[in-house]
Amino acid sequence: MYNINRKLFNFTRVGAVNVLRKRCFHALPNSERFVITPEIKQAIEERGPVVALESTIISHGMPYPQNVETAKSVENIVREQGAIPATIAILNGQVHIGLTDNALEFLGKAGPEAQKTSRRDLAMILSQKRNGATTVASTMILARAAGIPIFVTGGIGGVHRGAESSFDISADLYELGRTPIAVVCAGVKSILDIQKTLEVLESQGVTVATFDRDSKRFPAFYTVDSGYESPYQMKDALDAAKSILANHQLELNSGIVFACPIPKEAAPDSEAIQAAIANAIAEARAKNIHGKEETPYLLKRINELTRGESLAANIALVKNNARIGGQIAVKLSELKRKEC
Ligand code: PSU
Ligand code: MN
């Protein structure tokens, strides 16, 4: 018995050392398909704190010019925490890790003319040299390729209401099951079926934690409490960073969701939002909107129906997530530098 345990222990130790060695030096994608800014490249090579940011939220998630202003202030907030922002998008068929102000402006103005790009779209957008705004799923894929373990967004996609007949389940959830990136978000919008979303995350083996000092209630984007609980609670950035490191060391190859409740003072009147959501969903059904169009349609209509109230909340929660994501990235970088 003793010997068997010792063997297991030795095996684990050798395995762990190999894993650590592998994680210490990330080989940057060496291909003309990737354009990485020198600042981000250096930070990745030095295991510095870098935070990935998506671009569908810019093109399809908010109207111009608030989308560009928000993208820029989110980058600044990440910097204020001591981390480097890496907004990801596809321009002329090349993956850009880190966008110039001009590129942000271009994407923001292009809006839905930029192709909403999830996993299934990547090969087409790249081979046809098109412009693509990356969703949570594809941003995770590209962040992983670049060696960036943390990603900040507003809300992830989920299981749509009525999925039992429509089968509309966001590719984001399956990506979280197969790609080891920690996604900092404000939970999922109540345009979705939150209970089913949490079930699929569980089936996919995704670690879900509410990032909050006082509660493990799972947040629902505009509201602090969805009525459901996360399986875990993270009280600070160091604990969150430790869980990311453990995920990497075990080579779980699955993702983590840190769900951060919207700051209370920014949470809009929940009844007005719920009414707008119900109306927007009814309209989408009546107009037979589905597939990749559904989420952008609902976001746009809710913004219109609440006359900007939901947009203000959306901006506030993304900024809050950026602050938390930046802090986790700093702690993770400290841990990784100690390990290597
Ligand atoms: N939820 C939001 N804002 C967003 C999105 C979702 O509150 O901008 C975007 C994200 O890019 C997410 C995508 O990855 O929509 C999910 O789209 P779908 O439901 O079609 O998978
Ligand atoms: Mn869908």
Side-chain angles (χ1 to χ4, degrees):
M1 188 63 188
Y2 174 70
N3 275 341
I4 291 172
N5 275 345
R6 234 175 73 154
K7 254 195 195 156
L8 189 66
F9 180 65
N10 282 340
F11 172 78
T12 312
R13 267 185 37 147
V14 171
V17 168
N18 285 340
V19 170
L20 282 179
R21 207 169 278 142
K22 249 191 356 211
R23 296 288 170 209
C24 282
F25 305 100
H26 178 80
L28 281 163
N30 184 16
S31 129
E32 71 279 7
R33 293 202 190 277
F34 276 78
V35 181
I36 307 181
T37 66
E39 181 194 35
I40 294 171
K41 196 166 184 268
Q42 186 183 352
I44 292 170
E45 281 167 349
E46 293 173 353
R47 303 184 298 284
V50 183
V51 173
L53 300 160
E54 63 152 312
S55 43
T56 294
I57 191 175
I58 303 172
S59 59
H60 291 68
M62 290 183 193
Y64 181 82
Q66 288 94 334
N67 55 1
V68 177
E69 286 161 17
T70 306
K72 286 184 187 165
S73 41
V74 161
E75 290 201 352
N76 285 334
I77 292 167
V78 168
R79 283 191 194 282
E80 281 162 18
Q81 316 311 311
I84 293 167
T87 305
I88 297 181
I90 302 163
L91 301 171
N92 295 321
Q94 278 187 312
V95 175
H96 283 251
I97 311 279
L99 298 186
T100 61
D101 281 357
N102 279 344
L104 281 178
E105 185 74 21
F106 169 78
L107 265 184
K109 276 196 173 143
E113 277 168 33
Q115 180 83 24
K116 178 175 163 186
T117 305
S118 195
R119 173 182 272 270
R120 62 112 192 244
D121 309 289
L122 278 170
M124 292 299 160
I125 304 300
L126 260 64
S127 61
Q128 295 171 4
K129 302 204 181 330
R130 290 163 68 182
N131 297 317
T134 52
T135 62
V136 169
S138 58
T139 307
M140 289 176 73
I141 295 169
L142 300 173
R144 178 197 206 173
I148 305 171
I150 301 179
F151 162 27
V152 165
T153 186
I156 57 172
V159 180
H160 280 267
R161 297 188 197 175
E164 59 276 23
S165 55
S166 70
F167 279 40
D168 190 347
I169 302 175
S170 174
D172 294 353
L173 301 185
Y174 299 100
E175 202 58 51
L176 279 158
R178 68 204 288 190
T179 303
I181 299 289
V183 180
V184 181
C185 64
V188 296
K189 277 205 175 75
S190 43
I191 57 173
L192 301 165
D193 186 320
I194 294 176
Q195 187 174 21
K196 289 195 181 77
T197 300
L198 287 168
E199 291 292 349
V200 172
L201 287 169
E202 179 178 343
S203 306
Q204 289 292 312
V206 180
T207 302
V208 175
T210 296
F211 189 100
D212 190 83
R213 273 220 161 266
D214 310 314
S215 157
K216 68 195 281 202
R217 307 300 296 170
F218 187 75
F221 205 83
Y222 301 120
T223 43
V224 171
D225 184 352
S226 64
Y228 299 94
E229 251 190 7
S230 284
Y232 293 96
Q233 180 184 2
M234 279 293 147
K235 296 200 171 175
D236 62 33
L238 179 59
D239 280 352
K242 283 180 183 166
S243 69
I244 297 172
L245 194 65
N247 177 298
H248 290 180
Q249 289 172 337
L250 283 170
E251 297 197 272
L252 287 179
N253 282 324
S254 46
I256 302 178
V257 171
F258 292 124
C260 312
I262 182 173
K264 283 199 180 70
E265 61 283 6
D269 173 8
S270 153
E271 268 174 36
I273 292 276
Q274 295 312 330
I277 289 173
N279 286 336
I281 291 176
E283 281 179 28
R285 295 283 177 273
K287 291 185 178 173
N288 198 23
I289 288 167
H290 49 88
K292 65 191 290 202
E293 317 300 338
E294 176 148 350
T295 299
Y297 180 85
L298 295 175
L299 298 180
K300 183 164 168 278
R301 280 306 282 148
I302 295 163
N303 284 344
E304 287 164 2
L305 291 169
T306 61
R307 290 193 204 85
E309 203 192 355
S310 69
L311 180 60
N314 199 341
I315 293 170
L317 67 85
V318 179
K319 289 181 178 175
N320 183 54
N321 297 345
R323 185 179 52 77
I324 294 168
Q327 290 170 0
I328 299 173
V330 168
K331 291 294 174 199
L332 181 63
S333 165
E334 286 170 12
L335 292 176
K336 287 214 161 183
R337 282 175 168 160
K338 260 190 235 157
E339 296 266 349
C340 298

